[in-house]
Amino acid sequence: MAQLDIANYLSHHKGKPVNHLWYKIMRAFVAGPQAKAMNLEVVDNVGVKNIKGPCVVLSNHTSRCDWEYVGTAMYPLPLNFMASDVEFHRAHMHLIFKLCRVIPKKNFVSDVHCIREVLSIIKAGGSVLFFPEGKSSISGTNQPIMLGTSELLKSLKVPVYTTTIRGGYMSNTQWNIKNRPGKVVVYVNKLFDPEDMEKLSVAEMDAKINDAIYNDDFQWNKEMRVKFAGNEDIAVKLEEHLYWCPKCGRELTNKGEGNVIRCTACGNGAMINEYDDLVPLSPDCLIPKDLRVWFELQRRREYRAIRSDPDYMIEEKVTLGMQPNDHYVDKTVTSEPVGEGIVRLTRDEFSYVGTKNGEPFELHQKTQSMATVVMETDSSYFGAFFGGVYYEFKPEHAITTKWQIAVEEAHRAAGGRWQNTLSHQQWIYEDDQPTDLENYYQPTTAPAADLI
């Protein structure tokens, strides 16, 4: 038997339309039952059964289970899904990906091979589904679509549909991978015909895509009032995402236990109820309106630090991970340890200095060309491609979310191309303190070190 060579397999991966039989089997025995268990509702505004392809389907990315929701919503249209190159190295995924002819994509870097596969599938009459945000949401709402999305659609010259998922983030949170049945709704709409795209600029198309797939799970559930199961431990590991206390301003002092997140330094905290509302533990607690706002307050805080301090720097001790080429990694991870060192971020550069396989090793990347990082599995580690090779970093502390936010905002501050143009997030970048604090915090009697 020939020795396994994953890199060679991926580099020679052929873009072919998905086998209809395997697609039906996956829908019947995997995607369908999971979608049913999560109480999926499909709002079909286009008549999916009448779509013959070739076409492209774009979707917002709320969770690791989105392929099940979208695949069910778009059935019986067979779709080639696009997935992270990283996932092809995992023991429980490679066979499914092979049978379903999933397209590998290197995250947040140019990937000509991926584009060629998409072109090949469309030319052969197939249809492609991908998530233009590039990764699942860390906040319950969208991030800007990745660069190159509209250019690719213009070159394909086929109809473009969208699926907008609501409730997916609450059903399958990023920090706690336990399923929480409540309700998931997928809206199916048509966005572009080929002639529409000929008339629109790339910027205009980007804006229309961002608007079409926009979702805020917390705002949605303020109206829907869906109860989600699994509330008894919803706050476990939440400190990996909510690393900052809005009352005392300290970082890495929050701790999630059961359904409560609390600052161990000042006692500020909230209970998360079955609707995913934040309920302050006492009248003197300073609690944001909801989890999404808390995330964005952290982003605003980091952006302002980067902008105001020319000597801005964060660093963290990490374990360096890489993906083996001759065997698959366990389903619970995406790499294996190969070294230790320090990651450092300044306004100009992301770097790793340490070891790899017992030898001194360094990585350096200018922030202007490094848009973001990949947050894997349960948010306890992050990674990125350097020269086409994927490296992963597991921090000593629960600080992965801060690193993702900081890399993105350092990129934007350095004039990088992936700017945040989403209208509903522009308050993050305002110079002055907003006067309408009621839009960000719940009523309180508590003072704060730095409100926003």
Side-chain angles (χ1 to χ4, degrees), residues 354-389:
T355 63
K356 184 182 78 170
N357 298 323
E359 299 290 335
F361 182 70
E362 297 185 14
L363 293 166
H364 297 271
Q365 181 81 308
K366 290 294 185 182
T367 55
Q368 190 175 37
S369 60
M370 186 176 184
T372 185
V373 296
V374 182
M375 187 181 289
E376 290 295 349
T377 312
D378 63 352
S379 306
S380 60
Y381 45 97
F382 63 93
F385 284 89
F386 296 81
V389 179

mmCIF file of all heavy atoms in Angstrom, residues 354-389:
data_model
loop_
_atom_site.group_PDB
_atom_site.id
_atom_site.type_symbol
_atom_site.label_atom_id
_atom_site.label_comp_id
_atom_site.label_asym_id
_atom_site.label_seq_id
_atom_site.Cartn_x
_atom_site.Cartn_y
_atom_site.Cartn_z
ATOM 1 N N GLY A 354 10.366 30.583 18.190
ATOM 2 C CA GLY A 354 10.450 29.440 19.103
ATOM 3 C C GLY A 354 11.128 28.265 18.438
ATOM 4 O O GLY A 354 12.159 28.427 17.782
ATOM 5 N N THR A 355 10.521 27.097 18.581
ATOM 6 C CA THR A 355 11.092 25.879 18.013
ATOM 7 C C THR A 355 10.090 25.166 17.124
ATOM 8 O O THR A 355 8.873 25.372 17.227
ATOM 9 C CB THR A 355 11.521 24.913 19.139
ATOM 10 O OG1 THR A 355 10.354 24.507 19.886
ATOM 11 C CG2 THR A 355 12.527 25.561 20.062
ATOM 12 N N LYS A 356 10.622 24.331 16.258
ATOM 13 C CA LYS A 356 9.833 23.394 15.458
ATOM 14 C C LYS A 356 10.653 22.122 15.317
ATOM 15 O O LYS A 356 11.778 22.169 14.809
ATOM 16 C CB LYS A 356 9.490 23.966 14.075
ATOM 17 C CG LYS A 356 8.580 23.046 13.257
ATOM 18 C CD LYS A 356 8.278 23.599 11.868
ATOM 19 C CE LYS A 356 9.450 23.366 10.927
ATOM 20 N NZ LYS A 356 9.116 23.682 9.514
ATOM 21 N N ASN A 357 10.110 21.022 15.779
ATOM 22 C CA ASN A 357 10.811 19.737 15.726
ATOM 23 C C ASN A 357 12.214 19.814 16.341
ATOM 24 O O ASN A 357 13.189 19.272 15.802
ATOM 25 C CB ASN A 357 10.897 19.240 14.277
ATOM 26 C CG ASN A 357 9.534 18.990 13.674
ATOM 27 O OD1 ASN A 357 8.620 18.522 14.355
ATOM 28 N ND2 ASN A 357 9.389 19.293 12.388
ATOM 29 N N GLY A 358 12.299 20.522 17.462
ATOM 30 C CA GLY A 358 13.553 20.595 18.205
ATOM 31 C C GLY A 358 14.568 21.581 17.681
ATOM 32 O O GLY A 358 15.666 21.699 18.250
ATOM 33 N N GLU A 359 14.241 22.323 16.633
ATOM 34 C CA GLU A 359 15.163 23.293 16.035
ATOM 35 C C GLU A 359 14.590 24.706 16.152
ATOM 36 O O GLU A 359 13.369 24.889 16.171
ATOM 37 C CB GLU A 359 15.404 22.967 14.554
ATOM 38 C CG GLU A 359 16.017 21.602 14.296
ATOM 39 C CD GLU A 359 17.469 21.528 14.752
ATOM 40 O OE1 GLU A 359 18.120 22.594 14.811
ATOM 41 O OE2 GLU A 359 17.935 20.417 15.045
ATOM 42 N N PRO A 360 15.442 25.737 16.213
ATOM 43 C CA PRO A 360 14.949 27.113 16.224
ATOM 44 C C PRO A 360 14.112 27.391 14.977
ATOM 45 O O PRO A 360 14.449 26.937 13.872
ATOM 46 C CB PRO A 360 16.239 27.950 16.222
ATOM 47 C CG PRO A 360 17.279 27.040 16.791
ATOM 48 C CD PRO A 360 16.915 25.663 16.321
ATOM 49 N N PHE A 361 13.043 28.140 15.179
ATOM 50 C CA PHE A 361 12.123 28.369 14.056
ATOM 51 C C PHE A 361 11.384 29.682 14.256
ATOM 52 O O PHE A 361 11.024 30.033 15.380
ATOM 53 C CB PHE A 361 11.112 27.224 13.959
ATOM 54 C CG PHE A 361 10.146 27.346 12.811
ATOM 55 C CD1 PHE A 361 10.572 27.188 11.507
ATOM 56 C CD2 PHE A 361 8.803 27.643 13.058
ATOM 57 C CE1 PHE A 361 9.683 27.311 10.447
ATOM 58 C CE2 PHE A 361 7.906 27.763 12.007
ATOM 59 C CZ PHE A 361 8.346 27.592 10.702
ATOM 60 N N GLU A 362 11.183 30.424 13.152
ATOM 61 C CA GLU A 362 10.470 31.691 13.219
ATOM 62 C C GLU A 362 9.489 31.828 12.055
ATOM 63 O O GLU A 362 9.711 31.289 10.963
ATOM 64 C CB GLU A 362 11.453 32.862 13.177
ATOM 65 C CG GLU A 362 12.404 32.916 14.357
ATOM 66 C CD GLU A 362 13.286 34.163 14.351
ATOM 67 O OE1 GLU A 362 12.968 35.096 13.571
ATOM 68 O OE2 GLU A 362 14.267 34.204 15.118
ATOM 69 N N LEU A 363 8.407 32.567 12.307
ATOM 70 C CA LEU A 363 7.439 32.951 11.287
ATOM 71 C C LEU A 363 7.208 34.446 11.395
ATOM 72 O O LEU A 363 7.098 34.974 12.514
ATOM 73 C CB LEU A 363 6.102 32.224 11.476
ATOM 74 C CG LEU A 363 6.069 30.717 11.252
ATOM 75 C CD1 LEU A 363 4.773 30.141 11.817
ATOM 76 C CD2 LEU A 363 6.193 30.392 9.761
ATOM 77 N N HIS A 364 7.125 35.138 10.261
ATOM 78 C CA HIS A 364 6.878 36.579 10.274
ATOM 79 C C HIS A 364 5.918 36.921 9.139
ATOM 80 O O HIS A 364 6.068 36.426 8.022
ATOM 81 C CB HIS A 364 8.186 37.361 10.097
ATOM 82 C CG HIS A 364 9.176 37.145 11.208
ATOM 83 N ND1 HIS A 364 9.181 37.919 12.338
ATOM 84 C CD2 HIS A 364 10.170 36.226 11.348
ATOM 85 C CE1 HIS A 364 10.152 37.499 13.148
ATOM 86 N NE2 HIS A 364 10.765 36.473 12.564
ATOM 87 N N GLN A 365 4.944 37.767 9.455
ATOM 88 C CA GLN A 365 3.979 38.193 8.439
ATOM 89 C C GLN A 365 3.564 39.628 8.727
ATOM 90 O O GLN A 365 3.217 39.975 9.858
ATOM 91 C CB GLN A 365 2.741 37.298 8.449
ATOM 92 C CG GLN A 365 1.690 37.644 7.428
ATOM 93 C CD GLN A 365 2.005 37.108 6.050
ATOM 94 O OE1 GLN A 365 3.089 37.333 5.518
ATOM 95 N NE2 GLN A 365 1.075 36.372 5.476
ATOM 96 N N LYS A 366 3.612 40.492 7.719
ATOM 97 C CA LYS A 366 3.168 41.865 7.865
ATOM 98 C C LYS A 366 1.650 41.904 8.091
ATOM 99 O O LYS A 366 0.897 41.190 7.407
ATOM 100 C CB LYS A 366 3.529 42.696 6.631
ATOM 101 C CG LYS A 366 5.028 42.951 6.473
ATOM 102 C CD LYS A 366 5.541 43.835 7.604
ATOM 103 C CE LYS A 366 7.006 44.205 7.407
ATOM 104 N NZ LYS A 366 7.510 45.033 8.537
ATOM 105 N N THR A 367 1.195 42.734 9.026
ATOM 106 C CA THR A 367 -0.235 42.795 9.323
ATOM 107 C C THR A 367 -1.037 43.298 8.123
ATOM 108 O O THR A 367 -2.201 42.931 7.951
ATOM 109 C CB THR A 367 -0.505 43.718 10.521
ATOM 110 O OG1 THR A 367 0.071 45.009 10.276
ATOM 111 C CG2 THR A 367 0.084 43.136 11.782
ATOM 112 N N GLN A 368 -0.432 44.108 7.283
ATOM 113 C CA GLN A 368 -1.140 44.631 6.121
ATOM 114 C C GLN A 368 -1.596 43.514 5.186
ATOM 115 O O GLN A 368 -2.607 43.641 4.490
ATOM 116 C CB GLN A 368 -0.262 45.624 5.365
ATOM 117 C CG GLN A 368 -1.002 46.380 4.282
ATOM 118 C CD GLN A 368 -0.141 47.440 3.638
ATOM 119 O OE1 GLN A 368 1.051 47.248 3.444
ATOM 120 N NE2 GLN A 368 -0.728 48.580 3.321
ATOM 121 N N SER A 369 -0.865 42.405 5.177
ATOM 122 C CA SER A 369 -1.221 41.290 4.292
ATOM 123 C C SER A 369 -1.808 40.098 5.043
ATOM 124 O O SER A 369 -2.080 39.066 4.435
ATOM 125 C CB SER A 369 0.022 40.841 3.511
ATOM 126 O OG SER A 369 1.060 40.418 4.391
ATOM 127 N N MET A 370 -2.015 40.229 6.351
ATOM 128 C CA MET A 370 -2.580 39.142 7.164
ATOM 129 C C MET A 370 -3.937 39.597 7.690
ATOM 130 O O MET A 370 -4.036 40.311 8.683
ATOM 131 C CB MET A 370 -1.647 38.790 8.319
ATOM 132 C CG MET A 370 -2.087 37.578 9.116
ATOM 133 S SD MET A 370 -0.858 37.171 10.389
ATOM 134 C CE MET A 370 -1.571 35.670 11.072
ATOM 135 N N ALA A 371 -5.007 39.172 7.008
ATOM 136 C CA ALA A 371 -6.331 39.703 7.317
ATOM 137 C C ALA A 371 -6.891 39.189 8.636
ATOM 138 O O ALA A 371 -7.521 39.928 9.393
ATOM 139 C CB ALA A 371 -7.300 39.368 6.183
ATOM 140 N N THR A 372 -6.688 37.912 8.939
ATOM 141 C CA THR A 372 -7.274 37.326 10.139
ATOM 142 C C THR A 372 -6.605 35.989 10.408
ATOM 143 O O THR A 372 -5.624 35.630 9.744
ATOM 144 C CB THR A 372 -8.797 37.146 9.968
ATOM 145 O OG1 THR A 372 -9.373 36.673 11.196
ATOM 146 C CG2 THR A 372 -9.135 36.184 8.851
ATOM 147 N N VAL A 373 -7.123 35.260 11.395
ATOM 148 C CA VAL A 373 -6.639 33.921 11.700
ATOM 149 C C VAL A 373 -7.816 32.964 11.690
ATOM 150 O O VAL A 373 -8.981 33.370 11.750
ATOM 151 C CB VAL A 373 -5.918 33.856 13.065
ATOM 152 C CG1 VAL A 373 -4.665 34.707 13.048
ATOM 153 C CG2 VAL A 373 -6.860 34.275 14.198
ATOM 154 N N VAL A 374 -7.517 31.687 11.614
ATOM 155 C CA VAL A 374 -8.540 30.645 11.645
ATOM 156 C C VAL A 374 -8.759 30.228 13.098
ATOM 157 O O VAL A 374 -7.807 29.873 13.791
ATOM 158 C CB VAL A 374 -8.099 29.414 10.825
ATOM 159 C CG1 VAL A 374 -9.191 28.357 10.821
ATOM 160 C CG2 VAL A 374 -7.732 29.828 9.403
ATOM 161 N N MET A 375 -10.003 30.291 13.561
ATOM 162 C CA MET A 375 -10.317 29.818 14.904
ATOM 163 C C MET A 375 -10.915 28.424 14.778
ATOM 164 O O MET A 375 -11.938 28.226 14.135
ATOM 165 C CB MET A 375 -11.291 30.751 15.612
ATOM 166 C CG MET A 375 -11.522 30.392 17.079
ATOM 167 S SD MET A 375 -12.703 31.486 17.906
ATOM 168 C CE MET A 375 -11.752 32.994 18.015
ATOM 169 N N GLU A 376 -10.268 27.461 15.390
ATOM 170 C CA GLU A 376 -10.640 26.070 15.169
ATOM 171 C C GLU A 376 -11.480 25.467 16.299
ATOM 172 O O GLU A 376 -11.331 25.822 17.462
ATOM 173 C CB GLU A 376 -9.379 25.215 14.988
ATOM 174 C CG GLU A 376 -8.647 25.478 13.683
ATOM 175 C CD GLU A 376 -9.435 25.092 12.459
ATOM 176 O OE1 GLU A 376 -10.472 24.421 12.588
ATOM 177 O OE2 GLU A 376 -9.014 25.448 11.355
ATOM 178 N N THR A 377 -12.327 24.527 15.919
ATOM 179 C CA THR A 377 -13.079 23.623 16.782
ATOM 180 C C THR A 377 -13.793 24.329 17.927
ATOM 181 O O THR A 377 -14.886 24.845 17.770
ATOM 182 C CB THR A 377 -12.177 22.497 17.327
ATOM 183 O OG1 THR A 377 -11.433 21.949 16.236
ATOM 184 C CG2 THR A 377 -13.025 21.361 17.910
ATOM 185 N N ASP A 378 -13.179 24.383 19.114
ATOM 186 C CA ASP A 378 -13.853 24.915 20.295
ATOM 187 C C ASP A 378 -13.270 26.255 20.727
ATOM 188 O O ASP A 378 -13.442 26.670 21.871
ATOM 189 C CB ASP A 378 -13.779 23.913 21.442
ATOM 190 C CG ASP A 378 -12.347 23.648 21.893
ATOM 191 O OD1 ASP A 378 -11.416 24.131 21.206
ATOM 192 O OD2 ASP A 378 -12.148 22.977 22.910
ATOM 193 N N SER A 379 -12.580 26.923 19.833
ATOM 194 C CA SER A 379 -12.033 28.264 20.075
ATOM 195 C C SER A 379 -10.850 28.300 21.026
ATOM 196 O O SER A 379 -10.490 29.370 21.524
ATOM 197 C CB SER A 379 -13.129 29.201 20.612
ATOM 198 O OG SER A 379 -14.239 29.214 19.774
ATOM 199 N N SER A 380 -10.216 27.190 21.293
ATOM 200 C CA SER A 380 -9.089 27.190 22.228
ATOM 201 C C SER A 380 -7.754 27.375 21.516
ATOM 202 O O SER A 380 -6.716 27.489 22.178
ATOM 203 C CB SER A 380 -9.066 25.890 23.040
ATOM 204 O OG SER A 380 -8.936 24.761 22.195
ATOM 205 N N TYR A 381 -7.734 27.417 20.189
ATOM 206 C CA TYR A 381 -6.502 27.664 19.456
ATOM 207 C C TYR A 381 -6.812 28.283 18.105
ATOM 208 O O TYR A 381 -7.960 28.279 17.644
ATOM 209 C CB TYR A 381 -5.676 26.388 19.285
ATOM 210 C CG TYR A 381 -6.454 25.151 18.873
ATOM 211 C CD1 TYR A 381 -6.519 24.765 17.546
ATOM 212 C CD2 TYR A 381 -7.096 24.359 19.826
ATOM 213 C CE1 TYR A 381 -7.210 23.626 17.157
ATOM 214 C CE2 TYR A 381 -7.788 23.216 19.447
ATOM 215 C CZ TYR A 381 -7.843 22.856 18.116
ATOM 216 O OH TYR A 381 -8.552 21.724 17.741
ATOM 217 N N PHE A 382 -5.804 28.857 17.457
ATOM 218 C CA PHE A 382 -6.006 29.529 16.184
ATOM 219 C C PHE A 382 -4.840 29.228 15.254
ATOM 220 O O PHE A 382 -3.775 28.764 15.694
ATOM 221 C CB PHE A 382 -6.159 31.046 16.381
ATOM 222 C CG PHE A 382 -4.964 31.741 16.958
ATOM 223 C CD1 PHE A 382 -4.004 32.314 16.134
ATOM 224 C CD2 PHE A 382 -4.794 31.839 18.337
ATOM 225 C CE1 PHE A 382 -2.895 32.973 16.656
ATOM 226 C CE2 PHE A 382 -3.693 32.499 18.880
ATOM 227 C CZ PHE A 382 -2.737 33.063 18.034
ATOM 228 N N GLY A 383 -5.028 29.479 13.973
ATOM 229 C CA GLY A 383 -3.985 29.165 13.011
ATOM 230 C C GLY A 383 -4.025 30.082 11.802
ATOM 231 O O GLY A 383 -4.921 30.909 11.657
ATOM 232 N N ALA A 384 -3.038 29.916 10.927
ATOM 233 C CA ALA A 384 -2.958 30.715 9.708
ATOM 234 C C ALA A 384 -2.008 30.034 8.732
ATOM 235 O O ALA A 384 -1.169 29.213 9.124
ATOM 236 C CB ALA A 384 -2.488 32.127 10.016
ATOM 237 N N PHE A 385 -2.145 30.394 7.463
ATOM 238 C CA PHE A 385 -1.253 29.889 6.430
ATOM 239 C C PHE A 385 -0.095 30.861 6.228
ATOM 240 O O PHE A 385 -0.291 32.074 6.096
ATOM 241 C CB PHE A 385 -2.009 29.708 5.110
ATOM 242 C CG PHE A 385 -2.894 28.492 5.086
ATOM 243 C CD1 PHE A 385 -4.208 28.555 5.519
ATOM 244 C CD2 PHE A 385 -2.401 27.273 4.630
ATOM 245 C CE1 PHE A 385 -5.021 27.440 5.498
ATOM 246 C CE2 PHE A 385 -3.208 26.140 4.604
ATOM 247 C CZ PHE A 385 -4.521 26.225 5.045
ATOM 248 N N PHE A 386 1.097 30.307 6.198
ATOM 249 C CA PHE A 386 2.310 31.074 5.931
ATOM 250 C C PHE A 386 3.013 30.399 4.762
ATOM 251 O O PHE A 386 3.471 29.258 4.880
ATOM 252 C CB PHE A 386 3.234 31.094 7.145
ATOM 253 C CG PHE A 386 2.650 31.790 8.342
ATOM 254 C CD1 PHE A 386 1.767 31.138 9.181
ATOM 255 C CD2 PHE A 386 2.990 33.107 8.630
ATOM 256 C CE1 PHE A 386 1.232 31.768 10.297
ATOM 257 C CE2 PHE A 386 2.461 33.756 9.742
ATOM 258 C CZ PHE A 386 1.577 33.080 10.572
ATOM 259 N N GLY A 387 3.080 31.089 3.625
ATOM 260 C CA GLY A 387 3.703 30.492 2.452
ATOM 261 C C GLY A 387 3.032 29.197 2.018
ATOM 262 O O GLY A 387 3.701 28.286 1.531
ATOM 263 N N GLY A 388 1.724 29.121 2.199
ATOM 264 C CA GLY A 388 0.970 27.940 1.790
ATOM 265 C C GLY A 388 0.946 26.813 2.800
ATOM 266 O O GLY A 388 0.293 25.797 2.585
ATOM 267 N N VAL A 389 1.666 26.974 3.933
ATOM 268 C CA VAL A 389 1.722 25.945 4.968
ATOM 269 C C VAL A 389 0.926 26.409 6.172
ATOM 270 O O VAL A 389 1.068 27.554 6.618
ATOM 271 C CB VAL A 389 3.178 25.648 5.382
ATOM 272 C CG1 VAL A 389 3.216 24.593 6.480
ATOM 273 C CG2 VAL A 389 3.986 25.188 4.167
#
